[in-house]
Amino acid sequence: RAALLTTAPTGTPESGRPTALMPAEELRARLAALRPKPWAPDRAAALAGFQAWREAHPGAMTALWLADGVDHQAEGDSTTPLATALASAGPLTLARAEGRAARLLLPPRAEPDRLLLTLRQTPAPAGGQATVLARTGDGRALASAAIDLPGGATAGEAALELPLEIRNQVVRLEIDGEDSAGSAVLLDERFRRRPVGLIGPTEAGTDTPLIGALYYLERALSPTAELRAGSVEQLLARQLSVLVLADRPVQDGRERQALEEWVRAGGTLVRFAGPRLAESPDPLLPVRLRAGERQLGGSLSWEQPQDMAAFPDTSPFAGLAPPPEVTVTTQVLAEPDPRLTERSWARLADGTPLVTAETRGAGRIVLFHVTANAEWSNLPLSGLFPDMLRRIVALSSGVAGAEGGAPLAPIETMDGFGRLGPAPGGVAAIAAPAFADTIPGPRHPPGWYGVPGEGGERRALNLSASLPAPRAMAAPPAGTALQAIGGVPAERDLGPWLLGAALLLLAVDLVLSLVQRGLLGRPAARAGAIASLLALVLLAPLAAAAQGSAPPGEMPLVTRIGYIATEDSSADEAVRQGLAGLSEYVNRRTAAALGEPVAVRPGQDDLSVLPLLYWAILPEAQAPSPAAVAALNQYMSNGGIILIDTRNEGSGEGFAPGAQEALQRVTRDLAIPPLAPVTSEHVLTRSFYLLQDLPGRFAGGQVWVSREQDRANDSVSPVIIGGHDWAGAWAVDGRGGNTRAVIPGGARQRTLAYRFGVNLVMYALTGNYKGDQVHVPAILERLGN
């Protein structure tokens, strides 16, 4: 039998033509090697190739079409012509993916305080929820956002809110559980908001509408950067990419020294001229200035306002077109210098510099020879002004810029499963001016393009940016046989059964050994012993599986950590993974034996068998019901401990806005005693490990327990409150790898987080036992007397 290879599952062969007939055995190997491609299929090319082949090979044929169930064309019906042509040639079987919506994650929309996520999908009868993960360059998950998708919905949105320092670490967004190039988005410098400091000539009046020194700067930079105000000392105390001084001379002494050190360390200092700078120039300028300014009617005057010249090819502004209506009436002039030309990023029509720059150390100083308002030029009134500032801010983050339209070479490209890897042969570079209009295909797969190496420009080419909204395939022609392509079957825990098989082999070996030694006696006794051993072995897996899934009230002999279920399934899963990781760590490092964590609902489930409850407070959390409040109060009064985690303290400030207000709502009616910060003398810091800090995924915040004199339950605090997202630091996936990055980071912080978890479990299991150890020296001293 022979077969024809016409198209790959997600694209056509690069030739665009069908291959020749080949034996089925040979074709089977080729089919097994096929992999999805990270670009949309060209079904029009497949149709043309099939029709050309049919002209050369007439006669009846049988066709099997493996389809993804999606129409990839924005307009018209792209699947019907190909299906009709295949059906007209003979019997057609359409094997189509079913049972799961096809989803696309679009590049996010960057807003001042968040990233707005958009997901599109083919309609699904049943509603659901998609979780989008934000990952760093090394694959660590920093945060997640849930997108609600009601039944029949074709799109959904959600906001990903992160502090600026954390947001700038995100380089990839992906739909959790999806493995395709359309479900992943790479984020380059265009999606980052750089911190920019603004300082005017005086403290007052800098933002006065239309005339303030910072008025136009704020409006030009606010959509793409985080603006900060304050003194030089205050701004440099935090992470800062760009500092803008509008007609403000730099004072000699500590201020000038601090700015010089900051620039040489990699900062970008942007200066704007004005009357003050013209009178008192300082060394922190890219060029030496002449005294005074050049203006209409002055000693160094023009007869007419000067227009801007085209930007040089070596300028970061190359590619921008100066509007003809932009003119300059006043400017500060640079002293002649052999290097003045190479330091000029923008010039006027008469050749005098308008923007100059100089590299100092790892940073640079940029000078606009006009004011930041419309006093000397109407440049701040034009659309060119924000474009120029954005180019400078982009340079501050280490982006070299593709001056002169230099081609961007492939660095890493995606495969059909959304995995990054080395670019395969045949992938071509993309010219920088054409990058925005490039559609992913065989010559340009999605991925990273730019200049290899640290500090080189990297641009992200994403597949979903060029694809239309996915639509379900049209109905096939009449008489087409349909076949569903199922998904991957759900995982099944084989651990108990493998353990049972091992025990069975051990039992058989034991019985055979006893028989050979003649220790089992009569045949009837031997048969009874064998039957008993087999029954025990076969029941062991069932008992293990039952023990692993039993709710807390039905398995009191297994010590477990509980967590309070919320209305957010993704948040609950994150907490479950964290407590599972902690339980595994405790089991490996201590004599405690913890089972799988269990979700509970106070007021409905029995809490008495759980020594510890983890309660993650969501910003939208509502006050618990009276029954839940009564159950929690009784739980604490009977010796239980509740760890309340707001996940927004220390380095996690801003991750969960509104969590403090939610904490007040949910604890309003709880019998929580007066609280005090945890000190180094508290039992919680030495119940197993000796700890000075109690970090989780975040560090630096305060942890609270009940005050010493107000403790009940034998001096054990019934509640511990913090915001370090401990579950995020403990969380592990099915392979045992940590799923979320610790912030600010490092293996040391995660180790300390696990050690705090061990101390917490020991504190819940042993109470104030370690608190009594402080009296040991005095007791030994008395015994010695």
Side-chain angles (χ1 to χ4, degrees), residues 414-454:
M414 280 188 183
D415 62 11
F417 298 103
R419 299 173 300 200
L420 284 171
V427 177
I430 304 174
F435 193 89
D437 300 324
T438 300
I439 297 177
R443 296 282 289 171
H444 307 300
W448 290 111
Y449 290 78
V451 181
E454 187 175 356

Side-chain angles (χ1 to χ4, degrees), residues 93-117:
T93 299
L94 177 62
R96 185 168 53 186
E98 295 181 358
R100 190 174 186 178
R103 291 174 172 173
L104 281 180
L105 180 64
L106 302 186
R109 187 166 70 249
E111 297 187 349
D113 57 345
R114 60 182 181 172
L115 291 175
L116 189 61
L117 310 177

Side-chain angles (χ1 to χ4, degrees), residues 235-603:
L235 291 174
L236 297 187
R238 297 180 61 189
Q239 208 173 31
L240 196 68
S241 294
V242 178
L243 179 59
V244 181
L245 301 182
D247 191 21
R248 184 188 185 281
V250 178
Q251 303 298 325
D252 192 12
R254 295 180 56 185
E255 181 177 275
R256 183 178 298 174
Q257 180 181 358
L259 280 173
E260 288 179 347
E261 294 176 353
W262 174 74
V263 170
R264 292 189 179 278
T268 297
L269 178 62
V270 180
R271 310 288 300 272
F272 280 86
R276 295 172 180 82
L277 188 62
E279 293 177 4
S280 305
D282 54 69
L284 286 178
L285 294 170
V287 294
R288 290 186 299 114
L289 301 181
R290 290 184 180 182
E293 69 267 4
R294 181 182 184 181
Q295 59 183 345
L296 289 173
S299 58
L300 298 172
S301 64
W302 297 296
E303 294 181 359
Q304 297 291 334
Q306 288 291 305
D307 299 328
M308 291 183 61
F311 294 115
D313 291 339
T314 56
S315 169
F317 308 138
L320 299 178
E325 64 272 12
V326 173
T327 59
V328 175
T329 58
T330 306
Q331 69 168 161
V332 291
L333 288 175
E335 290 282 1
D337 187 276
R339 302 185 62 187
L340 183 59
T341 300
E342 66 181 67
R343 293 182 181 179
S344 298
W345 284 2
R347 301 188 187 97
L348 297 179
D350 64 356
T352 56
L354 177 63
V355 181
T356 55
E358 179 191 18
T359 299
R360 292 195 186 180
R364 58 173 54 86
I365 300 176
V366 182
L367 172 64
F368 282 74
H369 291 239
V370 294
T371 56
N373 56 19
E375 184 178 354
W376 288 11
S377 168
N378 61 1
L379 174 63
L381 304 178
S382 69
L384 177 64
F385 188 60
D387 290 338
M388 296 173 69
L389 292 176
R390 289 167 190 164
R391 292 279 183 100
I392 296 174
V393 173
L395 288 174
S396 72
S397 60
V399 180
E403 293 90 350
L408 303 176
I411 301 174
E412 288 184 299
T413 59
M414 280 188 183
D415 62 11
F417 298 103
R419 299 173 300 200
L420 284 171
V427 177
I430 304 174
F435 193 89
D437 300 324
T438 300
I439 297 177
R443 296 282 289 171
H444 307 300
W448 290 111
Y449 290 78
V451 181
E454 187 175 356
E457 180 185 14
R458 279 163 47 110
R459 296 286 298 275
L461 182 64
N462 291 304
L463 174 63
S464 59
S466 61
L467 294 181
R471 300 183 306 164
M473 288 180 61
T480 302
L482 298 180
Q483 180 178 342
I485 301 177
V488 179
E491 293 183 357
R492 183 176 181 182
D493 185 9
L494 299 178
W497 297 101
L498 293 176
L499 177 61
L503 293 176
L504 177 61
L505 293 176
L506 179 62
V508 171
D509 181 73
L510 176 62
V511 170
L512 292 177
S513 299
L514 294 176
V515 170
Q516 289 180 350
R517 297 172 60 185
L519 299 178
L520 286 184
R522 295 175 299 173
R526 300 175 189 172
I530 294 174
S532 300
L533 287 173
L534 289 177
L536 290 175
V537 169
L538 294 177
L539 289 176
L542 297 177
Q547 179 174 332
S549 59
E554 299 178 11
M555 203 62 197
L557 296 181
V558 179
T559 303
R560 303 172 187 268
I561 303 176
Y563 61 96
I564 296 180
T566 67
E567 301 301 324
D568 189 335
S569 59
S570 62
D572 291 346
E573 175 60 17
V575 173
R576 188 202 67 79
Q577 290 180 342
L579 297 181
L582 174 62
S583 298
E584 180 184 0
Y585 191 90
V586 169
N587 293 342
R588 286 191 284 111
R589 299 301 179 101
T590 74
L594 301 181
E596 286 290 321
V598 61
V600 295
R601 296 187 178 275

Side-chain angles (χ1 to χ4, degrees), residues 710-726:
D710 293 325
R711 290 181 191 166
N713 301 326
D714 198 18
S715 297
V716 175
S717 177
V719 64
I720 302 169
I721 301 179
H724 287 170
D725 190 12
W726 290 287

